Amino acid sequence: MTTSREPLTPDRCPIGLARASRWVLGLLVAAPVAGRAAEPSEARDLLLKGEHAKVVEIAAKALKDRQRDEEWPLLLGRALLTTGRYPEARAAMTNALAKDSGSIRLRWLAREAFLAAGDARGAAAVLDDIKDSVTSRGGGLRDPASMVAFGRAALLLGADPKMVLDKIYAPAQKADPDLRDVYLARGDLALEKHDFDLAAKAFDEGVRKHPEDPDLLFGLAKAHSTGEREVMGDSLEAALKADPRHIPSLLLIADNRIDAEDYEGAAKRLDEVAAVNPWQPDAWAYRAVLAHLKNDTLAETAARASALRFWTDNPRVDHLIGLKLSQKYRFAEGAAHQRKALEADPSYLPAKAQLANDLLRLGDEAEGWKLAQEVERIDGYDVAAHNLVTLHDTMTKYVALTNAHFVVRISSHEAEVYGPRVLALLERARTNLCAKYSMELALPTLVEIFAEQKDFGVRTFGMPDNPGYLGVCFGRVVTANGPAANKTGAVNWEAVLWHEFCHVVTLQKTANRMPRWLSEGISVFEELQADASWGQRMTPRYRSMVLGGELTPVSKLSGAFLAPKTPFHLQFAYYESALVVDFLVGKFGIGALKDILDDLRGGADINAAIAKHTMPMDRFEKEFAAFATDKAKQLAPGLEWEKPAPTVAEKLKPEAILSELFPGGPLKRQAKEPALSEAELETWAAARPDNFWALNQVAQRAVAEKRWADAKAPLQKLVEKYPEQAGADSAYPLLASVHRALGETDAEREVLMRHAERDDEATATYLRLMELASAAKDWPTVARSAQRFLAINPLVAPPYRYLAEASEAAGDAPAAIAAYATLIKLDPPNPSDVHYQLARLLRPTDVEASRRHVLQALEDAPRNGAALRLLLTLPTNSVPAAAPTPGGRTKPRSIVF
């Protein structure tokens, strides 16, 4: 798929995305960089350590003593603003400007003080004054710090961000490489534009210069908040060590606690903020969110009012409330708050951008795309906005497959190949799950299937790089990576769509008021109910984690999705969540689960709902832990599970060496375990004939050395004692390869069939089964294996040919025709034969279609004798059909089933 636009990434920042104002360019010519002014370092150090009261005292005394350094009013104003003394800060800045009206830095801080005190008109006037004073002979730019303040003002006045970076911030940094302000300004600009890599670079440079600066450390944490969570945590820890009362860091922790559904932990952090600033607007906005999530309308209203106490038209308050509600999948409530933010300030782009995303996730596409395009037109530097509009250009080329219940957007080629299969699967899921959960869906579900992972990432997260996610449901809208996008391994796209549609049902049933763990747990649970080979089940590694005490308490399970130690721990969170649902349904029935969902829709707390319909939460957690432990112990009970120490050879693997170089990594524990030599490992395995790891080790070594007979016995024991094993480490494929090497075809086929029943992503097994079953004329097995393969990759030719042959053998000519018709769209190696097969099958029912295909067969291979003979048998009195499209393909804009 090609487009005229590509996602904007940090290494492709545009130049000149907006017209630079002439007055800015004139200033850059006229204003040289001056030397750095002296600073009252003692007060500055106290401010960075959070000693705000002392700073107020020292700065006030300095001003009373008529010390004229502009740093004193700046320090006083900043300390007053940080502690919520907004009217006093406004008065202090007004007094400072009366004495020094030429300072850009004073005016910039005065603007913030005026806004905080609710004087938006005064703030606008100060901004205009900055522009006017600088325009007249470059006044006010006394030093690099003043240039940075002016750069911030210039951005608000419409200057091109790239120009500000290159022509203002870069010269200021060159003139004073130790100036913290320039690193903060660069990082803040990048964060505002969602360019997290560029932000991380700026803050990292600043931290290298000022390693104990809490503002720079916080910025670094913020830059990594969507990626490297470990860096984020370390940076926040360092920021709070430098200033234990650092409000931005405390707010970011509260934000993450809300994401993890640790509402008590979030409230504690907000209390710490209140101890410094009782009127901090963001803190009150978070309290409004907490109250909303608790269904406490009065507290929510009061918290929002407190957030707006001084600045009643502050658009950020409703924007932040709405943003957090949308992150809880409450997009309708989130959108309502973004509209309130825009009522307060129609030009507030963060609210407009978030409203666009909310509407797109609600399925209101017309207004959503219009708003996204408006944001990108106003601010083309915003990476997320640019990427979203670029995606829209791509999606205009998609087709829509529709029926009464679904609208599926998909590339035209994929629509032709497997589009009907998508709609059929979704209809089955709807019939099954809506009935099971007593749910009627009022509106059609929108499903978007992407052929490129980067497009899925942009549509779902705003950025192209979000590997690991297969699909996401927002309630009524589902986004998913299609088979073409899954380039790193086999993924059963049918299981993914079933999983995501289950979210559609449960999210709409609860009005999106359910914790993440329960939503994911039900979806994984329902995968297993739909197909025994789908979903997740107990594995040796899961067994080790359960018995090793790594279960997360149910009441804190959503937090396991937020910051998992490793990607595998994230997978374990999905598995544990499904295990909780399995326990709940098995012990209390599906009715109890439905009752819990109904209570959640009414605003009930999840723990209270579980207790109401099952048992007290502490007892529920205890009995679930026993259930999970028993399940782990019952995994292949005929096998022993003691693990050997790693061998010397394993210790020399590159990843183990890296873990020694960088201690603390995921392999640290393995690298420190005592090593066994190869001979010691053989002795260890020989003494443990029923040990899972020993049997695997012996079998794998025998296969590697092509000692097929020696490998067969341990592999047979593994599948006998652990028949449910699936995945990459399953013994079934190895045992099948051993039977194949020994010429034991019937045994090979039997093993492959057992494996196919248990593994939903075993493409090699399915393909080999098609080959063997076709040779044996076992057409049901051929058809079933082909269908299983197509559930992973419907974009390759071999399964369709096998399916066509099996369908014809079963007497199902329409199915055979459909399979051959799909096969011809995939450019098979012998298109002439496929056209001939279609012509042969169509002859009894559609002579003209048969004629078209036989002519195409002869066009591709003029000496195709079978096609020539078939042509001679066709009647000649039929009306000639219209010429077929090249390759027999059609490219519909909309297909209705």
Side-chain angles (χ1 to χ4, degrees):
M1 186 184 306
T2 59
T3 66
S4 59
R5 311 175 67 161
E6 291 294 328
L8 182 62
T9 51
D11 60 337
R12 299 183 62 253
C13 292
I15 298 176
L17 289 172
R19 292 188 181 90
S21 302
R22 292 183 179 179
W23 60 271
V24 176
L25 292 174
L27 159 71
L28 295 173
V29 175
V33 178
R36 182 180 179 185
E39 294 184 355
S41 58
E42 182 181 4
R44 169 62 61 81
D45 289 344
L46 289 172
L47 186 65
L48 292 178
K49 293 176 181 178
E51 300 289 347
H52 310 105
K54 291 182 180 179
V55 173
V56 170
E57 179 183 352
I58 295 171
K61 184 177 185 305
L63 290 170
K64 184 177 180 181
D65 293 341
R66 300 182 181 277
Q67 294 188 32
R68 294 188 176 276
D69 193 320
E70 72 173 352
E71 285 297 319
W72 291 119
L74 288 170
L75 288 166
L76 176 61
R78 177 57 59 200
L80 292 171
L81 284 170
T82 301
T83 53
R85 296 160 67 175
Y86 302 132
E88 294 176 62
R90 181 183 184 279
M93 298 316 298
T94 300
N95 292 336
L97 288 178
K99 298 176 181 178
D100 185 357
S101 61
S103 170
I104 298 296
R105 296 174 68 200
L106 285 175
R107 291 185 183 188
W108 180 248
L109 187 61
R111 174 187 173 275
E112 182 179 344
F114 289 173
L115 284 176
D119 185 0
R121 182 175 298 179
V126 168
L127 192 61
D128 287 339
D129 286 346
I130 293 175
K131 174 182 174 181
D132 293 341
S133 66
V134 172
T135 304
S136 59
R137 298 182 301 279
L141 295 186
R142 303 169 177 173
D143 50 42
S146 296
M147 287 190 72
V148 172
F150 171 67
R152 289 184 181 271
L155 290 167
L156 284 181
L157 289 163
D160 173 31
K162 180 65 174 175
M163 184 274 293
V164 171
L165 282 170
D166 291 345
K167 303 299 184 181
I168 299 179
Y169 292 163
Q173 183 174 338
K174 184 176 181 181
D176 186 356
D178 291 328
L179 180 65
R180 66 188 293 271
D181 296 18
V182 73
Y183 300 105
L184 290 169
R186 285 173 50 207
D188 289 345
L189 173 57
L191 285 178
E192 180 187 340
K193 307 305 181 184
H194 302 97
D195 195 337
F196 297 104
D197 286 348
L198 190 62
K201 180 180 178 182
F203 288 121
D204 185 63
E205 289 177 11
V207 168
R208 292 176 189 276
K209 296 284 186 180
H210 305 279
E212 296 182 358
D213 189 306
D215 295 328
L216 289 167
L217 288 163
F218 162 76
L220 188 59
K222 187 75 172 174
H224 287 286
S225 60
T226 61
E228 298 183 58
R229 309 283 295 188
E230 186 176 349
V231 176
M232 171 186 159
D234 291 344
S235 300
L236 282 177
E237 183 180 353
L240 289 171
K241 182 178 179 181
D243 176 4
R245 293 173 289 276
H246 192 246
I247 287 177
S249 297
L250 294 171
L251 290 174
L252 183 55
I253 294 174
D255 186 291
N256 278 267
R257 291 297 88 211
I258 292 173
D259 290 344
E261 297 175 17
D262 178 10
Y263 303 136
E264 183 179 345
K268 288 180 179 178
R269 289 300 188 177
L270 296 176
D271 288 343
E272 294 179 50
V273 172
V276 180
N277 182 349
W279 301 110
Q280 216 288 330
D282 284 9
W284 282 110
Y286 283 123
R287 289 192 187 277
V289 171
L290 292 175
H292 185 102
L293 296 175
K294 292 179 180 178
N295 209 29
D296 189 342
T297 305
L298 291 177
E300 179 185 2
T301 301
R304 180 177 177 272
S306 294
L308 297 170
R309 172 172 175 140
F310 292 98
W311 182 6
T312 58
D313 291 327
N314 183 357
R316 177 171 167 78
V317 170
D318 277 302
H319 167 64
L320 181 56
I321 295 172
L323 176 64
K324 294 311 296 178
L325 293 179
S326 294
Q327 289 173 354
K328 290 296 181 182
Y329 279 40
R330 303 194 183 187
F331 302 111
E333 297 102 310
H337 278 282
Q338 302 308 333
R339 293 191 189 279
K340 287 182 180 180
L342 290 171
E343 288 175 8
D345 183 355
S347 66
Y348 191 65
L349 282 186
K352 193 167 292 188
Q354 184 58 41
L355 179 58
N357 277 295
D358 288 342
L359 294 175
L360 289 173
R361 289 164 180 173
L362 287 166
D364 188 350
E365 295 179 303
E367 186 181 1
W369 286 120
K370 181 181 177 181
L371 280 170
Q373 290 165 342
E374 185 177 338
V375 172
E376 199 264 351
R377 186 171 60 253
I378 296 171
D379 185 3
Y381 186 84
D382 188 300
V383 175
H386 176 88
N387 288 345
L388 196 57
V389 173
T390 300
L391 174 65
H392 181 257
D393 294 346
T394 298
M395 293 191 68
T396 58
K397 302 178 180 69
Y398 278 25
V399 300
L401 311 180
T402 65
N403 63 18
H405 305 121
F406 294 95
V407 177
V408 177
R409 291 197 176 87
I410 188 172
S411 72
S412 58
H413 174 56
E414 293 186 58
E416 288 184 288
V417 174
Y418 69 98
R421 189 181 179 102
V422 172
L423 281 175
L425 173 84
L426 290 171
E427 278 296 333
R428 290 201 308 273
R430 179 182 175 279
T431 300
N432 180 303
L433 295 170
C434 286
K436 185 171 185 176
Y437 287 91
S438 306
M439 182 63 191
E440 293 185 11
L441 302 177
L443 296 172
T445 301
L446 307 181
V447 180
E448 296 173 350
I449 299 176
F450 295 93
E452 296 281 349
Q453 195 280 332
K454 62 182 177 62
D455 293 335
F456 165 76
V458 169
R459 176 66 174 90
T460 309
F461 307 105
M463 291 294 171
D465 298 320
N466 282 277
Y469 287 90
L470 303 175
V472 172
C473 174
F474 299 107
R476 184 187 162 214
V477 177
V478 170
T479 61
N481 275 311
N486 294 316
K487 302 183 186 302
T488 57
V491 174
N492 190 307
W493 63 266
E494 289 191 345
V496 170
L497 288 185
W498 192 283
H499 177 108
E500 297 305 331
F501 183 76
C502 186
H503 283 310
V504 172
V505 174
T506 57
L507 287 174
Q508 292 195 46
K509 185 175 180 67
T510 60
N512 286 32
R513 296 176 178 176
M514 62 190 307
R516 181 172 179 183
W517 75 261
L518 182 59
S519 182
E520 297 295 356
I522 293 175
S523 284
V524 175
F525 173 78
E526 288 298 344
E527 283 185 67
L528 283 166
Q529 304 307 302
D531 190 313
S533 68
W534 290 359
Q536 295 195 60
R537 56 190 61 78
M538 186 68 72
T539 67
R541 190 166 178 185
Y542 286 166
R543 178 187 186 277
S544 176
M545 294 176 75
V546 170
L547 299 181
E550 293 196 59
L551 281 174
T552 301
V554 178
S555 57
K556 300 182 182 300
L557 194 46
S558 285
F561 291 88
L562 179 65
K565 297 177 184 177
T566 66
F568 190 84
H569 282 80
L570 177 60
Q571 291 302 312
F572 183 67
Y574 279 90
Y575 173 70
E576 183 182 345
S577 299
L579 206 57
V580 175
V581 174
D582 186 18
F583 167 70
L584 193 157
V585 172
K587 190 173 182 67
F588 303 99
I590 190 68
L593 178 58
K594 290 160 64 176
D595 289 341
I596 290 170
L597 297 179
D598 287 337
D599 284 4
L600 292 175
R601 183 182 184 90
D605 172 75
I606 178 59
N607 293 342
I610 290 176
K612 176 181 176 182
H613 297 290
T614 61
M615 60 180 67
M617 197 62 193
D618 57 346
R619 183 180 161 199
F620 183 94
E621 290 187 323
K622 191 174 297 183
E623 292 200 15
F624 165 69
F627 169 82
T629 299
D630 183 65
K631 199 145 187 115
K633 290 179 178 179
Q634 290 305 311
L635 180 69
L639 292 175
E640 297 173 356
W641 292 97
E642 178 191 358
K643 292 183 71 172
T647 65
V648 173
E650 286 175 321
K651 277 184 66 67
L652 293 178
K653 289 180 180 179
E655 59 266 29
I657 295 173
L658 287 174
S659 73
E660 292 285 13
L661 292 175
F662 301 99
L667 297 175
K668 179 182 178 183
R669 182 180 301 174
Q670 174 181 322
K672 286 195 171 184
E673 289 176 346
L676 295 178
S677 68
E678 297 295 334
E680 288 173 330
L681 183 60
E682 288 184 9
T683 302
W684 186 92
R688 295 164 176 80
D690 292 323
N691 183 275
F692 173 80
W693 311 104
L695 288 168
N696 268 291
Q697 182 73 23
V698 170
Q700 288 173 16
R701 183 174 299 171
V703 168
E705 296 171 359
K706 298 184 179 181
R707 293 185 285 107
W708 310 115
D710 292 341
K712 187 160 67 169
L715 289 169
Q716 286 177 328
K717 180 176 284 190
L718 281 169
V719 300
E720 175 189 345
K721 292 182 176 292
Y722 187 3
E724 298 306 316
Q725 189 181 19
D729 297 328
S730 173
Y732 285 106
L734 274 182
L735 182 56
S737 69
V738 166
H739 286 309
R740 184 175 185 177
L742 294 173
E744 300 168 349
T745 303
D746 289 343
E748 178 193 1
R749 187 169 148 214
E750 180 185 352
V751 168
L752 290 173
M753 289 180 68
R754 292 175 66 188
H755 184 222
E757 292 292 333
R758 293 162 171 80
D759 196 321
D760 68 332
E761 296 175 349
T763 50
T765 289
Y766 306 150
L767 194 59
R768 177 62 175 161
L769 262 181
M770 284 183 256
E771 179 184 345
L772 293 177
S774 176
K777 308 298 183 186
D778 180 1
W779 300 116
T781 297
V782 172
R784 180 67 180 131
S785 299
Q787 296 287 4
R788 283 175 169 147
F789 192 107
L790 295 175
I792 300 167
N793 188 354
L795 300 173
V796 293
Y800 293 102
R801 183 176 288 278
Y802 280 115
L803 186 59
E805 293 173 356
S807 298
E808 185 177 3
D812 190 349
I817 291 169
Y820 278 126
T822 302
L823 176 59
I824 202 65
K825 296 168 185 173
L826 295 170
D827 298 323
N830 188 359
S832 176
D833 180 64
V834 180
H835 281 297
Y836 165 72
Q837 299 296 344
L838 279 167
R840 181 178 58 78
L841 289 167
L842 286 165
R843 186 184 186 283
T845 58
D846 191 339
V847 171
E848 290 312 319
S850 176
R851 188 188 308 280
R852 287 199 304 272
H853 282 290
V854 77
L855 289 174
Q856 285 179 288
L858 291 169
E859 180 182 357
D860 287 330
R863 296 185 180 183
N864 186 329
L868 282 168
R869 288 189 293 274
L870 178 60
L871 179 62
L872 293 175
T873 68
L874 295 176
T876 59
N877 58 351
S878 302
V879 178
T885 56
R889 296 186 184 178
T890 58
K891 293 187 180 296
R893 291 302 299 168
S894 181
I895 305 172
V896 180
F897 293 88

